């Protein structure tokens, strides 16, 4: 996924660290990505009534 800079306060960093540990992820960045994808899946299911797989789309540079 593209890199985006996100400024976190101590409380937000602690939440991401908890998610990282519970999900067995290697970094806080992976925890943030997991939370975003999880939310997108839930919202997609709520909108369509079906689960959807999320795949990263690679941009082809000309």
């Amino acid at each position: 996924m593209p890199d985006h800079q996100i400024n976190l306060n101590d409380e937000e960093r602690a939440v991401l660290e908890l998610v990282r540990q519970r999900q067995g992820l290697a970094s806080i960045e992976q925890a943030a990505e997991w939370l975003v994808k999880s939310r997108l899946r839930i919202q997609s299911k709520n909108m369509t009534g079906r689960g959807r797989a999320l795949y990263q789309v690679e941009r082809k540079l000309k």
Side-chain angles (χ1 to χ4, degrees):
M1 297 194 98
D3 291 329
H4 295 283
Q5 182 69 28
I6 299 174
N7 298 320
L8 303 172
N9 62 35
D10 292 339
E11 185 177 328
E12 293 165 336
R13 190 174 302 280
V15 169
L16 286 174
E17 179 61 26
L18 183 62
V19 170
R20 184 193 70 76
Q21 291 173 2
R22 287 187 179 176
Q23 296 302 319
L25 301 169
S27 69
I28 288 179
E29 290 81 8
Q30 287 179 343
E33 184 176 332
W34 182 87
L35 285 172
V36 169
K37 286 183 178 182
S38 177
R39 181 66 176 174
L40 285 171
R41 283 186 190 97
I42 290 168
Q43 288 303 104
S44 175
K45 187 173 182 179
N46 287 342
M47 287 175 34
T48 65
R50 297 179 61 186
R52 298 281 185 235
L54 298 175
Y55 300 102
Q56 182 174 348
V57 177
E58 299 291 333
R59 287 179 89 163
K60 294 182 181 180
L61 300 175
K62 294 182 181 182

